[in-house]
């Protein structure tokens, strides 16, 4: 009888251990044995129709479906920061895991070569831009970002924010028409220097405050791509009504993760996140390309006045500034590679 009880007790212990193991495995993340993770993904745009939102929702969809629930993605559209500087800081501190930022804000972290991609008139078409970011230059930029940030930032995808144009209180027929206009754009670096050379006065206005600034004559003009400023109704203000297609920037945006945090994930989770990033790149670009014409037509239908301009003088002004900037950045070889792809 005592022998039977001993056997039963051993079997009970074994069963308890087995159940505990199963429970631990489930808590760790199912059959993969990986711990469940939550990803906070953020951009600074507040419109639900913005291409950024399209891209991050695709990221969420792929990451969650491929991981069978091991990865949860929480998307924030301007809710944890409408300024890119805030998002970069949150990424570095771990308050966000995936963010969208422009080259200009990345240079503030000390990676000056990145600003090369934001130089006026560097690209002459979307085809040229895609050859650059999806090719050798794009790979070099990824390495630069990772190494120079000491793995604080890992660049996992290149998004577009469209082709940027001037819009303001009057149309631009020639470069001289910009003289004396306050112009909301970057206020330091090569971009600011370029617009100063045209005669404009670069002015700093937060994106979330720009509608009111245009409406109240705080600033005469601004620049951005159709989906972004039309969704914010800038064209409905007196100082945003006239759109001149300067086409000065085929914009680049960086999809970033915190490199150190990324390295802490399992190999399977890393692969899934990279797959989600790739899917988001395609979804976001498709949304931008489709919305460019859609929002141009919307602007015209709602009273905006659009005109084209001879871009030659603008390009000629930009070229020596590109060369000087590349030299200052130590990125002359990268600039040559970009120009060779035209």
């Amino acid at each position: 009888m005592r022998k039977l009880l001993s056997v039963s007790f051993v079997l009970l212990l074994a069963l308890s251990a087995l159940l505990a193991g199963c429970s631990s495995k489930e808590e760790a993340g199912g059959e993969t044995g990986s711990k469940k993770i939550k990803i906070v993904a953020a951009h600074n745009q507040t419109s639900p129709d913005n291409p950024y939102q399209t891209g991050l929702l695709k990221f969420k969809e792929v990451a969650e479906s491929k991981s069978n629930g091991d990865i949860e993605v929480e998307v924030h559209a301007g809710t944890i920061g409408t300024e890119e500087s805030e998002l970069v800081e949150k990424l570095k501190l771990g308050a966000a895991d995936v963010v969208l930022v422009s080259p200009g804000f990345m240079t503030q972290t000390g990676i000056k070569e990145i600003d090369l991609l934001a130089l006026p008139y560097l690209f002459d078409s979307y085809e040229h831009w895609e050859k650059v970011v999806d090719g050798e230059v794009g790979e070099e930029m990824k390495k630069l970002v990772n190494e120079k940030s000491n793995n604080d930032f890992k660049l996992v995808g290149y998004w577009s924010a469209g082709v940027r144009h001037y819009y303001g209180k009057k149309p631009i027929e020639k470069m001289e028409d910009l003289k004396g206009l306050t112009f909301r754009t970057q206020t330091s670096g090569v971009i600011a220097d370029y617009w100063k050379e045209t005669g404009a006065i670069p002015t700093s206005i937060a994106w979330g405050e720009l509608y009111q600034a245009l409406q109240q004559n705080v600033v005469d003009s601004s620049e951005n791509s159709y989906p972004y400023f039309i969704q914010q109704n800038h064209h409905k203000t007196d100082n945003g009504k006239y759109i001149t297609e300067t086409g000065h920037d085929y914009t680049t945006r960086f999809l970033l993760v915190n490199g150190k945090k990324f390295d802490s994930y399992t190999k399977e989770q890393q692969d899934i996140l990279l797959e989600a990033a790739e899917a988001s790149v395609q979804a976001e670009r498709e949304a931008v390309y489709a919305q460019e014409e859609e929002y141009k037509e919307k602007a015209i239908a709602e009273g905006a006045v659009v005109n084209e301009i001879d871009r030659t003088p603008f390009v000629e002004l930009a070229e020596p500034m590109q060369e000087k900037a590349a030299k200052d950045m130590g990125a002359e070889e990268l600039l040559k590679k970009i120009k060779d792809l035209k």
Side-chain angles (χ1 to χ4, degrees), residues 183-201:
F183 188 56
R184 188 267 182 182
T185 188
Q186 195 170 312
T187 54
S188 63
V190 183
I191 295 173
D193 291 343
Y194 177 81
W195 291 109
K196 286 175 187 173
E197 286 294 314
T198 70
I201 303 169

Side-chain angles (χ1 to χ4, degrees), residues 99-272:
V99 301
L100 257 293
V101 297
S102 62
F105 283 97
M106 283 303 294
T107 57
Q108 295 174 17
T109 67
I111 311 170
K112 58 185 180 180
E113 296 92 340
I114 284 299
D115 217 18
L116 186 69
L117 296 180
L119 294 179
Y121 294 103
L122 182 65
F123 303 107
D124 59 9
S125 66
Y126 274 125
E127 182 182 10
H128 178 214
W129 176 79
E130 287 189 357
K131 283 181 184 177
V132 171
V133 298
D134 293 339
E136 182 184 344
V137 174
E139 288 303 311
E140 287 189 46
M141 285 291 185
K142 286 181 179 180
K143 289 177 184 175
L144 278 171
V145 168
N146 191 245
E147 291 171 3
K148 293 206 167 188
S149 71
N150 193 29
N151 202 28
D152 281 339
F153 306 120
K154 181 179 178 67
L155 206 171
V156 294
Y158 292 97
W159 288 15
S160 171
V163 187
R164 297 173 84 96
H165 304 295
Y166 159 94
Y167 58 97
K169 68 179 184 180
K170 67 176 185 177
I172 301 301
E173 303 290 348
K174 54 188 182 303
M175 190 182 294
E176 290 72 23
D177 293 338
L178 283 164
K179 188 173 182 179
L181 284 181
T182 51
F183 188 56
R184 188 267 182 182
T185 188
Q186 195 170 312
T187 54
S188 63
V190 183
I191 295 173
D193 291 343
Y194 177 81
W195 291 109
K196 286 175 187 173
E197 286 294 314
T198 70
I201 303 169
T203 306
S204 178
I205 302 286
W207 177 251
E209 299 169 8
L210 184 52
Y211 175 87
Q212 189 173 13
L214 289 164
Q215 191 179 48
Q216 296 180 358
N217 283 314
V218 174
V219 65
D220 297 323
S221 57
S222 184
E223 51 85 39
N224 217 310
S225 63
Y226 280 111
Y228 292 81
F229 73 88
I230 302 303
Q231 287 174 0
Q232 297 297 319
N233 290 318
H234 293 175
H235 63 297
K236 293 183 178 180
T237 70
D238 288 341
N239 286 8
K241 177 179 180 180
Y242 294 95
I243 303 165
T244 298
E245 294 190 328
T246 47
H248 52 273
D249 185 13
Y250 284 79
T251 54
T252 305
R253 293 294 179 265
F254 302 138
L255 185 67
L256 296 176
V257 300
N258 182 299
K260 294 182 176 74
K261 202 166 183 181
F262 182 85
D263 289 348
S264 73
Y265 302 146
T266 67
K267 176 66 166 57
E268 182 180 5
Q269 289 169 339
Q270 290 176 1
D271 289 343
I272 289 170

Side-chain angles (χ1 to χ4, degrees), residues 10 27 142 148 219-220 252 281 310 313 324 336:
V10 170
E27 288 173 5
K142 286 181 179 180
K148 293 206 167 188
V219 65
D220 297 323
T252 305
V281 165
D310 178 9
K324 182 181 183 304
K336 184 180 183 304

